[in-house]
Amino acid sequence: MRLCVIGTGYVGLVTGTCFAEMGHRVSCVDVDAAKVARLKAGEPTIYEPGLKELMQNNMRERRLFFTTDLADGLKEAEVCFIAVGTPSTTEGAADISMVLAVADSIGTCIDQYMVVVNKSTVPVGTADKVRAVIQARLQERGLVNVEFDIVSNPEFLKEGAAVEDFMRPERVVVGSDNPRAAERMRELYEPFVRNQNPILLMDIKSAEITKYAANAMLALRISFMNEMAALCEQMGADIAQVRAGIGSDSRIGISFLYAGVGYGGSCFPKDVRELIHVGQAGGLPMDIVAAVDRVNERQKQAFAEKIINFYQGSVAGKKFAVWGLAFKPLTDDMRDAPSIQILRTLSEQGADLVAYDPQATGQAGQIFGPSINISYVEDMMEALTGVDALLLLTEWRQFRRPDFAGMKQRMRQPVIFDGRNQYNPKQMKNMGFVYRCIGRPNG
Ligand code: NAD
């Protein structure tokens, strides 16, 4: 098929590349000319394992193209995917203005049947708005007979494993009110689903809500564990043992039950807030989801306070190494990363920070600029030279088994604040570290 993907961020670039890999001819469109120039040169604009090779191969095979010209991208396309951002407004609602702007442009370009697919995470009811905008444009152009269908096809890929997730999805959700469009989507996705993993066909509104419900449920598991971890800390219990105890119940399951410094990223925080917003706008209090957000905000602050309290209320003049800035491992994405709030708080209180992250220092530099006391190094051990403590904020695999003896030699004080529970408290104590983590007794 001929496909067009509009927006070449984490979702759009992976979507376009993976469809090309399945043999389709894909045009990827973005308004960001600098981004498109880099992509045209075969340089991915984000870090995702496996993406670069796949992208370059498909460009060589002349199945994957990049352009800033939407009309050109849409030429002869049978299906187009909208994959632009839907950030939070200050009130917490999802801002769908970029989606509607794309719909408007589609309405000014198309002159034959097309399936228009919403891949962006959008509030329930957005498909109707997209349809209305395209219809209005077609009417203005006197093209009332040009048909199109709207499909909601939310994306569930995880950053850090995005290519793998797209190529082997656990499920594909397709919201459609038209058998013709649904059949197109089934044709497109059938090669990706295996091992009985389903393509779930449903109505459009249910598909739109499914994406938010999934993210809110995952965020809930994190906030729940963080709340339990706070209780464990207070009572001298161990959240790791509690996790094993509850996770072995098949009704609960063991995955996604980690206490830490709170969730972040471009999806959970904004999607949780949109769900609260849409519910409350309709008179539903959304009590559970609102608590998930509150607990998460508290968790980030609690970690910074744990560090400040350790130093009797003042970190002024303290020097801290930071391992990990990205909101999770295997990505360069810093959007809403817990590290932002934690490091801002510590810097405001006078701490000096030296950070190492395998991928995210570029984005961190853009976010922090000169606003906080932070420098970046390219070696995790180098960050430790002469510091009062190490703060571990992202669980990159290379932090799992570091050279502890070498670390102690470099650090001014052997103190570790582990926001991701990467080490065993008893072992850390035996090795001579002062070790503070989340919801576990000090070694
Ligand atoms: P992103 O910000 O990385 O990328 C969006 C891209 O769209 C940018 O490159 C931007 O320049 C481009 N764009 C904006 N307006 C445009 C226009 N009019 N025409 C063409 N391009 C335009 O966003 P993302 O992380 O890829 O997320 C996209 C959507 O997918 C969001 O709704 C998000 O919630 C959802 N989503 C994201 C993830 C994720 O892990 N990042 C996962 C699932 C769903």
Side-chain angles (χ1 to χ4, degrees):
M1 274 189 226
R2 285 183 171 248
L3 309 176
C4 175
V5 178
I6 307 166
T8 59
Y10 288 84
V11 169
L13 186 56
V14 171
T15 300
T17 303
C18 292
F19 276 133
E21 178 67 10
M22 282 299 175
H24 302 289
R25 188 188 188 284
V26 187
S27 283
C28 294
V29 183
D30 205 291
V31 282
D32 184 336
K35 208 178 245 193
V36 170
R38 282 176 64 189
L39 292 168
K40 274 183 161 170
E43 190 192 328
T45 42
I46 54 169
Y47 174 73
E48 269 301 329
L51 180 63
K52 188 173 182 178
E53 301 71 25
L54 216 57
M55 201 186 113
Q56 290 177 346
N57 284 347
N58 282 285
M59 289 175 77
R60 251 194 314 275
E61 298 292 327
R62 302 201 54 73
R63 286 192 297 256
L64 182 62
F65 302 88
F66 297 97
T67 177
T68 51
D69 183 349
L70 182 64
D72 189 42
L74 284 174
K75 210 184 293 165
E76 294 172 33
E78 297 153 77
V79 182
C80 80
F81 291 84
I82 304 177
V84 298
T86 48
S88 277
T89 63
T90 40
E91 290 81 41
D95 175 358
I96 59 165
S97 58
M98 284 190 264
V99 172
L100 297 181
V102 169
D104 194 77
S105 306
I106 292 172
T108 59
C109 289
I110 59 171
D111 49 20
Q112 58 184 25
Y113 175 70
M114 191 176 293
V115 181
V116 178
V117 183
N118 251 338
K119 205 163 226 342
S120 298
T121 302
V122 288
V124 57
T126 301
D128 291 341
K129 293 181 184 163
V130 168
R131 190 195 315 272
V133 168
I134 298 176
Q135 238 153 17
R137 275 282 174 238
L138 287 172
Q139 232 153 30
E140 269 174 29
R141 294 167 63 210
L143 296 176
V144 281
N145 292 329
V146 172
E147 291 186 34
F148 67 94
D149 289 313
I150 305 287
V151 168
S152 166
N153 170 221
E155 181 51 56
F156 296 95
L157 61 77
K158 300 183 288 294
E159 284 181 29
V163 171
E164 176 66 19
D165 285 348
F166 198 95
M167 295 304 277
R168 278 174 267 282
E170 286 183 330
R171 85 304 207 180
V172 174
V173 168
V174 173
S176 166
D177 54 10
N178 185 296
R180 162 176 68 171
E183 177 54 24
R184 272 284 153 90
M185 297 302 285
R186 198 190 53 72
E187 269 173 53
L188 266 178
Y189 277 112
E190 218 160 46
F192 293 91
V193 291
R194 44 196 98 174
N195 306 329
Q196 318 293 317
N197 289 356
I199 297 175
L200 298 167
L201 192 60
M202 58 181 77
D203 67 80
I204 291 178
K205 286 188 172 152
S206 300
E208 288 172 335
I209 290 189
T210 295
K211 174 66 190 171
Y212 284 98
N215 277 355
M217 175 67 92
L218 293 168
L220 177 145
R221 285 172 78 96
I222 296 173
S223 279
F224 179 82
M225 290 309 283
N226 284 334
E227 193 159 82
M228 289 302 128
L231 188 63
C232 284
E233 262 177 41
Q234 202 172 70
M235 306 308 284
D238 183 346
I239 192 67
Q241 296 181 38
V242 173
R243 174 177 182 263
I246 62 172
S248 49
D249 184 327
S250 63
R251 292 169 304 176
I252 297 172
I254 196 75
S255 58
F256 234 76
L257 285 183
Y258 290 104
V261 287
Y263 60 76
S266 67
C267 293
F268 288 1
K270 88 170 165 60
D271 294 349
V272 162
R273 281 178 206 138
E274 160 57 30
L275 208 50
I276 297 167
H277 186 269
V278 73
Q280 290 179 349
L284 293 172
M286 303 304 281
D287 292 326
I288 294 176
V289 193
V292 167
D293 185 42
R294 269 201 315 276
V295 170
N296 195 56
E297 287 308 304
R298 193 165 68 216
Q299 190 69 8
K300 291 185 271 185
Q301 202 49 36
F303 190 70
E305 279 165 15
K306 181 181 279 196
I307 298 165
I308 295 167
N309 290 342
F310 179 87
Y311 295 101
Q312 283 80 45
S314 173
V315 291
K318 298 288 176 204
K319 186 174 173 190
F320 297 134
V322 180
W323 278 3
L325 295 162
F327 83 96
K328 65 190 270 193
L330 290 174
T331 182
D332 57 347
D333 200 346
M334 280 292 294
R335 289 178 286 185
D336 248 324
S339 64
I340 298 174
Q341 190 173 325
I342 294 166
L343 299 182
R344 279 218 168 106
T345 303
L346 294 173
S347 176
E348 276 162 18
Q349 304 278 324
D352 203 6
L353 308 162
V354 186
Y356 167 77
D357 187 289
Q359 294 293 338
T361 46
Q363 281 206 24
Q366 283 174 15
I367 288 173
F368 291 130
S371 69
I372 70 169
N373 292 325
I374 189 166
S375 59
Y376 306 95
V377 290
E378 289 188 0
D379 179 87
M380 58 189 262
M381 295 302 275
E382 191 189 331
L384 298 169
T385 308
V387 298
D388 293 288
L390 163 66
L391 323 182
L392 196 159
L393 299 184
T394 315
E395 66 277 31
W396 284 91
R397 191 169 287 170
Q398 46 269 64
F399 304 151
R400 198 79 189 95
R401 286 188 178 73
D403 166 14
F404 287 112
M407 288 167 66
K408 262 175 75 182
Q409 273 173 7
R410 284 177 174 261
M411 297 168 79
R412 193 187 304 159
Q413 298 292 334
V415 180
I416 299 180
F417 295 96
D418 179 358
R420 299 292 181 177
N421 287 356
Q422 293 297 284
Y423 311 127
N424 179 306
K426 277 206 184 85
Q427 284 171 4
M428 297 306 289
K429 188 176 183 187
N430 291 341
M431 283 188 286
F433 282 96
V434 175
Y435 181 65
R436 296 287 181 272
C437 53
I438 310 281
R440 307 196 68 185
N442 301 326

